[in-house]
Amino acid sequence: GEYRDAIERLQRSLDTGTITDRELGSRTQFMIGRTYFKFLKDKENANRSFVKVLAKYPGTKIADHPYLDFLNEK
């Protein structure tokens, strides 16, 4: 139930540059969005996070995830 703490830790890892692998970075950003969406029911922050996956990590495996299909159509 400590989803916001988990999101903060993941975001801090991305912001500080601790994660240098693009695939891991994209999955981490995706997990932030998924946590907002699935567990916190916060669609606005989920969408922001998913948009960052596509903007910062194009061509990564997770960028093809079905959760992101609706963003690719815009």
Side-chain angles (χ1 to χ4, degrees):
E2 297 180 13
Y3 299 116
R4 292 200 186 278
D5 289 338
I7 289 169
E8 287 176 19
R9 286 192 303 274
L10 292 171
Q11 189 61 56
R12 194 170 27 249
S13 293
L14 290 171
D15 293 344
T16 61
T18 304
I19 299 173
T20 58
D21 180 78
R22 283 181 44 77
E23 289 292 337
L24 180 57
S26 66
R27 288 191 307 269
T28 301
Q29 187 67 60
F30 178 85
M31 288 306 297
I32 291 170
R34 187 172 179 274
T35 302
Y36 273 123
F37 183 73
K38 187 169 183 165
F39 299 106
L40 298 175
K41 309 299 185 214
D42 183 344
K43 292 179 183 178
E44 186 175 323
N45 278 317
N47 286 342
R48 280 192 205 122
S49 187
F50 293 147
V51 166
K52 286 181 185 178
V53 171
L54 297 176
K56 291 184 175 185
Y57 306 101
T60 56
K61 292 178 185 176
I62 202 72
D64 288 331
H65 193 282
Y67 270 32
L68 307 179
D69 284 347
F70 74 97
L71 296 171
N72 284 321
E73 294 172 0
K74 290 183 178 180

